[in-house]
PDB file of all heavy atoms in Angstrom:
ATOM      1  N   GLU A 276       6.764  -7.637 -11.767  1.00  0.00           N
ATOM      2  CA  GLU A 276       6.218  -7.646 -10.405  1.00  0.00           C
ATOM      3  C   GLU A 276       7.092  -6.804  -9.480  1.00  0.00           C
ATOM      4  O   GLU A 276       8.295  -6.684  -9.687  1.00  0.00           O
ATOM      5  CB  GLU A 276       6.178  -9.072  -9.860  1.00  0.00           C
ATOM      6  CG  GLU A 276       5.280 -10.000 -10.648  1.00  0.00           C
ATOM      7  CD  GLU A 276       5.284 -11.423 -10.093  1.00  0.00           C
ATOM      8  OE1 GLU A 276       5.922 -11.670  -9.057  1.00  0.00           O
ATOM      9  OE2 GLU A 276       4.642 -12.274 -10.725  1.00  0.00           O
ATOM     10  N   PHE A 277       6.452  -6.262  -8.443  1.00  0.00           N
ATOM     11  CA  PHE A 277       7.228  -5.547  -7.440  1.00  0.00           C
ATOM     12  C   PHE A 277       8.084  -6.540  -6.662  1.00  0.00           C
ATOM     13  O   PHE A 277       7.635  -7.639  -6.348  1.00  0.00           O
ATOM     14  CB  PHE A 277       6.313  -4.786  -6.469  1.00  0.00           C
ATOM     15  CG  PHE A 277       5.656  -3.597  -7.096  1.00  0.00           C
ATOM     16  CD1 PHE A 277       4.297  -3.570  -7.311  1.00  0.00           C
ATOM     17  CD2 PHE A 277       6.416  -2.501  -7.488  1.00  0.00           C
ATOM     18  CE1 PHE A 277       3.687  -2.474  -7.902  1.00  0.00           C
ATOM     19  CE2 PHE A 277       5.820  -1.396  -8.086  1.00  0.00           C
ATOM     20  CZ  PHE A 277       4.456  -1.390  -8.295  1.00  0.00           C
ATOM     21  N   THR A 278       9.306  -6.158  -6.355  1.00  0.00           N
ATOM     22  CA  THR A 278      10.205  -7.039  -5.610  1.00  0.00           C
ATOM     23  C   THR A 278       9.749  -7.185  -4.163  1.00  0.00           C
ATOM     24  O   THR A 278      10.037  -8.182  -3.523  1.00  0.00           O
ATOM     25  CB  THR A 278      11.656  -6.511  -5.643  1.00  0.00           C
ATOM     26  OG1 THR A 278      11.670  -5.180  -5.128  1.00  0.00           O
ATOM     27  CG2 THR A 278      12.203  -6.529  -7.060  1.00  0.00           C
ATOM     28  N   ASN A 279       9.035  -6.195  -3.672  1.00  0.00           N
ATOM     29  CA  ASN A 279       8.494  -6.237  -2.315  1.00  0.00           C
ATOM     30  C   ASN A 279       7.051  -5.733  -2.395  1.00  0.00           C
ATOM     31  O   ASN A 279       6.766  -4.580  -2.069  1.00  0.00           O
ATOM     32  CB  ASN A 279       9.335  -5.373  -1.383  1.00  0.00           C
ATOM     33  CG  ASN A 279       8.956  -5.541   0.066  1.00  0.00           C
ATOM     34  OD1 ASN A 279       7.912  -6.087   0.395  1.00  0.00           O
ATOM     35  ND2 ASN A 279       9.813  -5.050   0.943  1.00  0.00           N
ATOM     36  N   PRO A 280       6.126  -6.591  -2.831  1.00  0.00           N
ATOM     37  CA  PRO A 280       4.759  -6.135  -3.097  1.00  0.00           C
ATOM     38  C   PRO A 280       4.017  -5.593  -1.882  1.00  0.00           C
ATOM     39  O   PRO A 280       3.111  -4.785  -2.029  1.00  0.00           O
ATOM     40  CB  PRO A 280       4.063  -7.375  -3.650  1.00  0.00           C
ATOM     41  CG  PRO A 280       4.904  -8.524  -3.269  1.00  0.00           C
ATOM     42  CD  PRO A 280       6.294  -8.010  -3.080  1.00  0.00           C
ATOM     43  N   GLY A 281       4.388  -5.989  -0.694  1.00  0.00           N
ATOM     44  CA  GLY A 281       3.697  -5.524   0.495  1.00  0.00           C
ATOM     45  C   GLY A 281       4.245  -4.239   1.089  1.00  0.00           C
ATOM     46  O   GLY A 281       3.751  -3.750   2.097  1.00  0.00           O
ATOM     47  N   LEU A 282       5.253  -3.672   0.463  1.00  0.00           N
ATOM     48  CA  LEU A 282       5.890  -2.458   0.975  1.00  0.00           C
ATOM     49  C   LEU A 282       4.897  -1.300   0.984  1.00  0.00           C
ATOM     50  O   LEU A 282       4.276  -0.990  -0.029  1.00  0.00           O
ATOM     51  CB  LEU A 282       7.088  -2.092   0.095  1.00  0.00           C
ATOM     52  CG  LEU A 282       7.944  -0.916   0.542  1.00  0.00           C
ATOM     53  CD1 LEU A 282       8.710  -1.268   1.810  1.00  0.00           C
ATOM     54  CD2 LEU A 282       8.905  -0.530  -0.563  1.00  0.00           C
ATOM     55  N   THR A 283       4.736  -0.679   2.132  1.00  0.00           N
ATOM     56  CA  THR A 283       3.825   0.462   2.245  1.00  0.00           C
ATOM     57  C   THR A 283       4.577   1.760   1.990  1.00  0.00           C
ATOM     58  O   THR A 283       5.820   1.796   2.025  1.00  0.00           O
ATOM     59  CB  THR A 283       3.199   0.533   3.646  1.00  0.00           C
ATOM     60  OG1 THR A 283       4.228   0.854   4.592  1.00  0.00           O
ATOM     61  CG2 THR A 283       2.493  -0.757   4.024  1.00  0.00           C
ATOM     62  N   LEU A 284       3.825   2.797   1.771  1.00  0.00           N
ATOM     63  CA  LEU A 284       4.417   4.116   1.563  1.00  0.00           C
ATOM     64  C   LEU A 284       5.230   4.538   2.779  1.00  0.00           C
ATOM     65  O   LEU A 284       6.355   5.019   2.648  1.00  0.00           O
ATOM     66  CB  LEU A 284       3.320   5.138   1.267  1.00  0.00           C
ATOM     67  CG  LEU A 284       3.759   6.585   1.086  1.00  0.00           C
ATOM     68  CD1 LEU A 284       4.783   6.724  -0.032  1.00  0.00           C
ATOM     69  CD2 LEU A 284       2.551   7.463   0.802  1.00  0.00           C
ATOM     70  N   ASP A 285       4.703   4.317   3.969  1.00  0.00           N
ATOM     71  CA  ASP A 285       5.447   4.677   5.183  1.00  0.00           C
ATOM     72  C   ASP A 285       6.741   3.883   5.316  1.00  0.00           C
ATOM     73  O   ASP A 285       7.773   4.431   5.719  1.00  0.00           O
ATOM     74  CB  ASP A 285       4.586   4.483   6.433  1.00  0.00           C
ATOM     75  CG  ASP A 285       3.515   5.561   6.566  1.00  0.00           C
ATOM     76  OD1 ASP A 285       3.719   6.670   6.022  1.00  0.00           O
ATOM     77  OD2 ASP A 285       2.491   5.296   7.207  1.00  0.00           O
ATOM     78  N   GLU A 286       6.698   2.598   4.977  1.00  0.00           N
ATOM     79  CA  GLU A 286       7.916   1.775   5.034  1.00  0.00           C
ATOM     80  C   GLU A 286       8.947   2.279   4.026  1.00  0.00           C
ATOM     81  O   GLU A 286      10.144   2.314   4.318  1.00  0.00           O
ATOM     82  CB  GLU A 286       7.582   0.316   4.764  1.00  0.00           C
ATOM     83  CG  GLU A 286       6.807  -0.340   5.883  1.00  0.00           C
ATOM     84  CD  GLU A 286       6.240  -1.702   5.507  1.00  0.00           C
ATOM     85  OE1 GLU A 286       6.036  -1.989   4.307  1.00  0.00           O
ATOM     86  OE2 GLU A 286       5.988  -2.483   6.444  1.00  0.00           O
ATOM     87  N   MET A 287       8.484   2.681   2.847  1.00  0.00           N
ATOM     88  CA  MET A 287       9.401   3.184   1.830  1.00  0.00           C
ATOM     89  C   MET A 287      10.037   4.487   2.289  1.00  0.00           C
ATOM     90  O   MET A 287      11.228   4.722   2.071  1.00  0.00           O
ATOM     91  CB  MET A 287       8.667   3.377   0.500  1.00  0.00           C
ATOM     92  CG  MET A 287       9.572   3.801  -0.617  1.00  0.00           C
ATOM     93  SD  MET A 287      10.834   2.541  -0.926  1.00  0.00           S
ATOM     94  CE  MET A 287      11.729   3.296  -2.260  1.00  0.00           C
TER      95      MET A 287
END
Side-chain angles (χ1 to χ4, degrees):
E276 298 179 4
F277 289 112
T278 57
N279 189 346
L282 185 69
T283 68
L284 177 58
D285 287 335
E286 290 169 336
M287 184 61 180

